[in-house]
Amino acid sequence: MLSPQYEILTSMSDSETSACEVAPPATGDMSPEEFRRFGHEIVDWIANYFEHIEELPVLAQIQPGDLKAQLPSSPPEHGESMETILADIDKLIVPALTHWSHPSFFAYFATSTSAPGIFGELLSAAFDVKSMLWRTSPASTELEEVTLDWLRQMLGLDAGFSGFIYDTASVSSMHAIAAAREGVEMRIREEGMSGRKDLPLLRVYASEQAHSSIEKGIITLGLGQRSLRKIPTDSQFRMDPQALAEAIDEDKRNGMLPFCVVATVGTTSTSSIDPVPDIVPICEKHTMWLHVDAAYAGSAAVVPELRHVLAGCERADSLVLNPHKWLFTPFDLSVLYCRHLALLHRAFSLVPEYLRTPEQEKVRSGSDYGVQLGRRFRALKLWMIIRYFGHEGLAARIREHCRLAKLFADWVEQSEDWELMAPVPFALVCFRACPAIEAKTEAERDKKLDALNEALMHGVNATGKAFLSHTRLNDQLTLRLSIGNIRTTERHVREVWELLEEQLRLLS
Ligand code: PLP
């Protein structure tokens, strides 16, 4: 059963839809008149969507297969009118959406798009450039360099870092590890890794709290999962540098080749910060590449008083951060800052005759720095976002999110029925309900609390009024409240707290 709430949007757009339906032309694209008409209608629709989004359930209230069952199993033989297609967006697609733009989306890392970002996406779809060589996309190539240099300055990073845009942090980190591997000078680009007796086991180190994308990158690069050594963390979920140093020493004694450490600033489960300043000297001692995964929390450094979260990164070799996480940029846009672009170039540049250009020695061409040939014009939206909000405006929004998270954390701490499960350095609160519960053993109590917290989370999510996710910390089910949406205000945070209290009363 689809949610009846789609009617909110259906009724909105019905009033605006004109009666005359136009079939698509036999050849060529939509006429400029029609494009203008539907373009205006769609922008109106989006404005209504944002105005009414709180009336929609945050988490899609449908069952697996519900949408598929309503879609034809074969494509239309003849083109359909835009009216028919747009009506189906209201009727079929919206109810099957989990609304990431809803201000009460608190799950995973809450993120959001923004108006200038949407306009940037729209224009970039119209330009449709393939940013592979400078000449195929001078605007994209040069705007990317300038915009990422602006962002670098806003983050307080030094000019030794050059930025590059990829789609996601998973891909950015994979490229960073590939550049690090290129730096070991073992002719892996030319000869590969398989069947080679002269190659020791190459090792990458990351904490046991590191994001799974690091392991996936290692798998993708053919290093194999055994190349990753997971380093234990302390009571606050931060990499233990002593354990890292010992692991590297041990691996070296065993004939392995440690070549890369991945430190995380803002881990996924708790947003903990690995002690980068203590990790740097270990990497320098062993001439290892230090990659910093700041996919989530790197953006916080645009707030002057939070710049310290990137302490030590001035001595890192590369750093990833995701404007699509916490800089109000529509998905996708991930930035890799790297000090050794020449190594990235060496790992990935391959220029066949048909891509040679007279200016290639003088310019930066995107396809030389990664797996992709054509790349989207992503810099446009980030440039528009930075210009529209300004450094100060971006900082104000992130600062407010951190304030709201601290406020929520205070309520948790002040209540006897709830407890914090991790420190709150940014805008993510890890917590759980811990009311007095009858249990014969500690293990039984833990089990009952896990079940209670899981039921609480599902109870809140089923209301459609807010969306929370979870993790496990110290083997205890932990709820996560992440604040990162541009529309989230104190009212939304109060409402989810009241919802949680209400669910707890119902379940106790
Ligand atoms: N690194 C960290 C710390 C993350 O939290 C995430 C996702 O949440 C990622 C990497 C992967 O991000 P992406 O979806 O951009 O690949």
Side-chain angles (χ1 to χ4, degrees):
M1 253 284 288
L2 294 172
S3 159
Q5 300 198 20
Y6 76 81
E7 281 161 16
I8 295 163
L9 292 162
T10 317
S11 54
M12 259 163 28
S13 52
D14 269 358
S15 59
E16 284 150 17
T17 310
S18 145
C20 75
E21 291 198 15
V22 183
T27 56
D29 199 3
M30 186 184 280
S31 72
E33 296 72 35
E34 250 205 303
F35 182 83
R36 199 165 283 120
R37 185 181 132 214
F38 287 112
H40 287 148
E41 212 166 278
I42 288 171
V43 170
D44 276 343
W45 191 98
I46 296 173
N48 285 342
Y49 173 66
F50 287 144
E51 258 179 340
H52 289 268
I53 197 162
E54 288 188 49
E55 296 161 48
L56 301 170
V58 194
L59 177 66
Q61 306 284 311
I62 65 165
Q63 296 304 314
D66 276 357
L67 176 61
K68 279 202 279 184
Q70 299 202 57
L71 296 170
S73 54
S74 49
E77 187 62 28
H78 304 290
E80 300 178 65
S81 72
M82 276 306 286
E83 283 90 347
T84 319
I85 301 168
L86 291 178
D88 280 349
I89 304 267
D90 280 335
K91 197 166 152 223
L92 304 178
I93 305 300
V94 172
L97 283 173
T98 289
H99 297 282
W100 284 73
S101 290
H102 195 297
S104 298
F105 186 111
F106 298 112
Y108 312 109
F109 278 128
T111 63
S112 75
T113 184
S114 61
I118 294 171
F119 291 144
E121 280 284 7
L122 187 61
L123 288 167
S124 136
F127 299 145
D128 194 32
V129 299
K130 280 73 188 175
S131 183
M132 51 203 212
L133 306 171
W134 177 86
R135 67 167 47 195
T136 64
S137 47
S140 170
T141 309
E142 297 191 11
L143 195 67
E144 179 166 332
E145 284 183 50
V146 171
T147 306
L148 296 191
D149 198 57
W150 287 2
L151 180 60
R152 176 192 64 71
Q153 294 172 45
M154 286 162 52
L155 296 166
L157 294 174
D158 64 272
F161 278 117
S162 300
F164 211 81
I165 296 179
Y166 297 95
D167 52 3
T168 57
S170 307
V171 170
S172 295
S173 289
M174 193 269 288
H175 282 84
I177 298 168
R181 185 178 64 177
E182 191 60 23
V184 303
E185 308 289 352
M186 292 214 154
R187 295 184 54 77
I188 291 173
R189 175 191 160 116
E190 295 80 9
E191 293 174 31
M193 300 181 72
S194 64
R196 284 182 65 175
K197 292 208 168 52
D198 62 325
L199 214 56
L201 181 68
L202 274 69
R203 278 281 217 200
V204 180
Y205 303 80
S207 94
E208 54 197 16
Q209 291 288 323
H211 191 263
S212 55
S213 57
I214 303 305
E215 189 160 346
K216 270 203 189 178
I218 286 169
I219 297 168
T220 310
L221 290 169
L223 288 156
Q225 278 170 297
R226 71 192 180 116
S227 272
L228 176 64
R229 182 154 179 184
K230 292 190 182 170
I231 306 298
T233 52
D234 64 13
S235 61
Q236 299 194 2
F237 311 102
R238 301 171 299 195
M239 187 193 283
D240 174 355
Q242 182 63 32
L244 171 69
E246 285 167 15
I248 295 171
D249 286 341
E250 184 184 65
D251 285 352
K252 277 190 149 176
R253 282 198 301 277
N254 289 329
M256 297 174 191
L257 177 58
F259 78 101
C260 180
V261 174
V262 180
T264 311
V265 172
T267 56
T268 313
S269 274
T270 69
S271 78
S272 61
I273 308 171
D274 286 341
V276 179
D278 300 332
I279 294 170
V280 163
I282 300 170
C283 293
E284 287 176 352
K285 177 178 165 198
H286 296 282
T287 325
M288 293 169 71
W289 184 291
L290 175 58
H291 174 60
V292 177
D293 179 354
Y296 162 64
S299 301
V302 306
V303 183
E305 66 272 22
L306 289 178
R307 259 191 191 174
H308 62 88
V309 302
L310 293 185
C313 294
E314 67 283 354
R315 284 156 74 193
D317 297 281
S318 56
L319 177 146
V320 60
L321 90 148
N322 276 359
H324 71 224
K325 275 194 169 43
W326 207 8
L327 276 181
F328 318 112
T329 305
F331 193 78
D332 49 18
L333 197 162
S334 173
V335 177
L336 178 69
Y337 283 108
C338 181
R339 286 192 188 282
H340 318 286
L341 273 197
L343 281 176
L344 201 53
H345 188 276
R346 218 171 79 185
F348 290 103
S349 177
L350 194 65
V351 186
E353 186 53 38
Y354 46 82
L355 293 177
R356 285 194 193 288
T357 65
E359 66 275 4
Q360 66 188 26
E361 301 304 327
K362 287 188 280 186
V363 293
R364 195 172 99 164
S365 287
S367 53
D368 282 334
Y369 296 91
V371 172
Q372 282 185 264
L373 173 62
R375 300 164 65 245
R376 301 180 61 222
F377 189 178
R378 293 190 181 87
L380 185 63
K381 56 186 172 183
L382 185 57
W383 180 67
M384 290 173 69
I385 287 166
I386 296 175
R387 289 191 64 183
Y388 181 76
F389 292 114
H391 184 176
E392 196 186 60
L394 291 167
R397 285 161 178 80
I398 291 176
R399 187 184 288 121
E400 173 66 1
H401 289 166
C402 295
R403 183 188 76 81
L404 294 176
K406 300 268 181 319
L407 187 68
F408 184 90
D410 283 348
W411 299 334
V412 169
E413 274 194 305
Q414 283 158 21
S415 165
E416 289 200 341
D417 289 338
W418 302 87
E419 63 180 339
L420 279 186
M421 300 295 280
V424 184
F426 301 105
L428 171 70
V429 188
C430 293
F431 66 104
R432 68 169 187 166
C434 58
I437 243 173
E438 268 185 40
K440 290 196 191 74
T441 62
E442 198 59 22
E444 190 190 336
R445 180 171 183 271
D446 279 349
K447 217 169 149 192
K448 283 188 167 173
L449 282 181
D450 274 5
L452 171 71
N453 279 282
E454 193 164 358
L456 262 168
M457 178 176 70
H458 292 316
V460 167
N461 293 346
T463 65
K465 291 183 184 154
F467 181 25
L468 298 169
S469 62
H470 76 285
T471 188
R472 280 196 91 76
L473 298 177
N474 299 322
D475 208 22
Q476 290 170 326
L477 193 126
T478 301
L479 305 180
R480 291 170 75 267
L481 178 107
S482 165
I483 300 171
N485 190 289
I486 201 161
R487 289 185 173 73
T488 304
T489 65
E490 194 169 320
R491 171 172 66 83
H492 303 103
V493 179
R494 279 189 192 282
E495 280 170 6
V496 70
W497 175 242
E498 281 158 19
L499 259 180
L500 281 158
E501 293 258 71
E502 187 185 309
Q503 286 294 320
L504 183 57
R505 277 194 296 277
L506 284 174
L507 290 166
S508 297

